[in-house]
Structure formats: C-alpha cells, structure tokens
Amino acid sequence: MARILITGGTGLVGTRLSKMLSDRKHEVLILTRNPKKENEFKWDLNSNYIDDKALLHTDYIIHLAGAGIADKRWTEKRKKVIIDSRVDTASLLYRKVNQLKITLKGFISASGIGYYGAKTSDIIYEENHNSGTDYIANVCVLWEAAAKQFERLKIPVTILRTGIVLSNKGGALDKMKTPIISPLGTGDQYLPWIHLDDLCQLYINAVENNLTGIFNAVAPEHHTSKTFSKTLAKSLKRPYLGIGVPSFLLKLVFGEMAIILLKGSRISAKKIEKNGGDYSFRFLKLEKALNELS
C-alpha cells in the first residue's frame, strides 16, 4: 500500500483514479483550494502555500492539476492560466518537496498528445519524436519540463501524454453526444482516445510496477473524426450526418482553439503496450469503449 497525493483530484480523471486507488487499498490524499474531507489538504498557488501534512510520508505525487484546455476561448489571459495552472503548480510541489526533504518514490504527471503539435500528418507519433511548435505543443513542453525538475532530486518521473479521455460523466464525450452526430471540418483529422478506466490503470501501473519515463496514453486503435463519429452514432443509435461541421463555423465559435478540433495525427501506443508491465488495455476498440460508456 502506498500513500499517494493527487493534484486535480476532484476533476474527471482524479475522481475516478482516487476511487480505483482506494479500492486497491492505497491511501489517497487530495490537494485542493477548498478542502472539505478528511483526506483533503489545502494548497494555494497565489500564496505559494501547501499544507505540509499533505507531503509528509507521501510515497507518490500524481500531478493532474490544470485548467481545462478546451473549456474557454484562448484569450491571452486564458493561455497564461492554462500554462501556469500546470507549470507553476508543479514547480511549487518541487520546491516544497525539496524544502521538506521528502523522499518520494515517484512523481507522475499528466501531459497531452498536443506535445506533437496540432496538425494532421502521415506520421504516427512515438515518444521520441520532436515536439510541435504551436501553442498547445508549447504548453506540453513546459508542463513536462516542470515535472522533470524532480529528477534533480533523484526522484523517478513518469509522464503520460494523454489523448481524448472517454467517460460517461463529463469530458469530451458529453459534448460529442449531439442529436445528430457529425464529423468536424474535413473529418480526416485523427482523434487519439483512451477510456477513462484504462488511463487510470496506467497511473496505477506507474505506482505498482515502477513504470517510469514518457508514454503515450492512448488506445492502439486509430480513428479519424469521420470514423469516430460513425462509431459514436451507432453506439448511441442516433443519426449520422456525413457532412462535417464547417471549419469556418468552428473558428468563429472557438477562435484559435478550433485548431485542436480540426487537426490531429495518429499517436502510437506501442511503447506502453510493450513496456507497461503486466497491464493490457481493456478497451482496445472504440466500439467496445463507447458501448460500455453508453
């Protein structure tokens, strides 16, 4: 049994991960701005504060905190919030762990497949590919660099570059469940995805099997916006309209953020399949994932 501190523990992934870890008899602690439960502890980025009791005797930190990338239009102010909520929080954790001389067994951080850039190409991106050069890639580069600070303290670091997380409670899938299902733009862009439970199992695997390094946290099956939409429509028994939502309309509604809806490449899951210890994906196929969540 490990003592695990989670940032972003009240979010989509954090809530499910906390339950799955607790079910496996791990002790789960949550960092939050408004602690209400016995296992919740206060932190405040603005005042550089973390309750010391949250860190004492902690074995692992799982860093999920971060403002939603697709929650609001990307104004300059919002862009700064997206970066600071990931990078500055990781740096605050690093400073406190160093100050208190906490001997962590591992620092496990979320990242995104946006690391490779918002683009549609013939490349199937693996973990050793270079980062992209756009805003969303820069977010991930800074995010991962903040996590890697822990290596200076000889603490193993694990980074999971995550695709679209499929859940039956909130997240991207809820927004896709429109009365008529359609692709976005040309529909030729890829949508790397992963079932919420598979993602949580990867975090658990990082704890229980000392999984360290950088991994793409995506399911092995590739889907474009077209094939994803068709599969979703079939799962929900809703009509599918093959004419994509026009790109100009998405740009009008979402501004610069529309690029992450209109562009996307295939992401390789080979490394996690090969080096993921004794874990194998429960949801290899999108159809099975969507049917389980419907």
Side-chain angles (χ1 to χ4, degrees), residues 3-9 13-14 17-18 21 28-31 43 58-65 93 104 106-110 158 160 200 202-207:
R3 182 177 167 97
I4 301 163
L5 178 64
I6 301 179
T7 73
V13 177
L17 177 58
S18 296
L21 284 166
V28 177
L29 311 175
I30 305 292
L31 276 181
W43 74 333
T58 292
D59 297 309
Y60 295 89
I61 294 176
I62 297 179
H63 184 43
L64 304 176
L93 288 164
L104 291 176
F107 184 83
I108 306 162
S109 178
T158 308
L160 297 181
C200 290
L202 294 181
Y203 279 104
I204 291 169
N205 212 28
V207 169

Side-chain angles (χ1 to χ4, degrees), residues 3-76:
R3 182 177 167 97
I4 301 163
L5 178 64
I6 301 179
T7 73
T10 57
L12 174 69
V13 177
T15 300
R16 180 63 176 151
L17 177 58
S18 296
K19 184 181 186 310
M20 290 174 69
L21 284 166
S22 296
D23 287 347
R24 296 176 74 87
K25 308 305 179 187
H26 295 292
E27 182 182 2
V28 177
L29 311 175
I30 305 292
L31 276 181
T32 174
R33 284 172 292 184
N34 301 296
K36 295 174 183 175
K37 299 177 182 176
E38 191 176 337
N39 71 327
E40 295 180 345
F41 296 87
K42 185 174 179 62
W43 74 333
D44 184 355
L45 182 60
N46 293 329
S47 58
N48 287 313
Y49 174 79
I50 297 179
D51 187 337
D52 289 356
K53 294 191 291 293
L55 290 167
L56 297 177
H57 312 298
T58 292
D59 297 309
Y60 295 89
I61 294 176
I62 297 179
H63 184 43
L64 304 176
I69 284 173
D71 287 357
K72 298 179 182 179
R73 285 175 72 100
W74 287 353
T75 62
E76 290 307 309

Side-chain angles (χ1 to χ4, degrees), residues 116-126 129 188-190 222 224 263-268:
Y116 306 105
K119 55 194 168 189
T120 304
S121 74
D122 294 330
I123 298 171
I124 301 176
Y125 286 94
E126 299 183 356
H129 275 99
D188 295 329
Q189 71 277 30
Y190 288 91
H222 304 301
T224 63
K263 300 290 183 181
S265 293
R266 289 168 293 178
I267 307 295
S268 172

Side-chain angles (χ1 to χ4, degrees), residues 63-131:
H63 184 43
L64 304 176
I69 284 173
D71 287 357
K72 298 179 182 179
R73 285 175 72 100
W74 287 353
T75 62
E76 290 307 309
K77 182 179 179 182
R78 181 63 180 176
K79 283 182 173 181
K80 187 175 187 304
V81 168
I82 287 171
I83 291 174
D84 291 351
S85 61
R86 290 162 169 76
V87 174
D88 292 357
T89 48
S91 294
L92 174 59
L93 288 164
Y94 170 77
R95 291 195 300 272
K96 292 296 182 180
V97 166
N98 191 23
Q99 176 189 330
L100 296 172
K101 308 298 181 193
I102 306 296
T103 54
L104 291 176
K105 294 178 181 176
F107 184 83
I108 306 162
S109 178
S111 181
I113 56 168
Y115 176 90
Y116 306 105
K119 55 194 168 189
T120 304
S121 74
D122 294 330
I123 298 171
I124 301 176
Y125 286 94
E126 299 183 356
E127 290 81 354
N128 58 359
H129 275 99
N130 292 334
S131 66

Side-chain angles (χ1 to χ4, degrees), residues 73 246-255 258:
R73 285 175 72 100
S247 300
F248 79 87
L249 186 60
L250 292 169
K251 290 173 183 175
L252 188 66
V253 173
F254 296 106

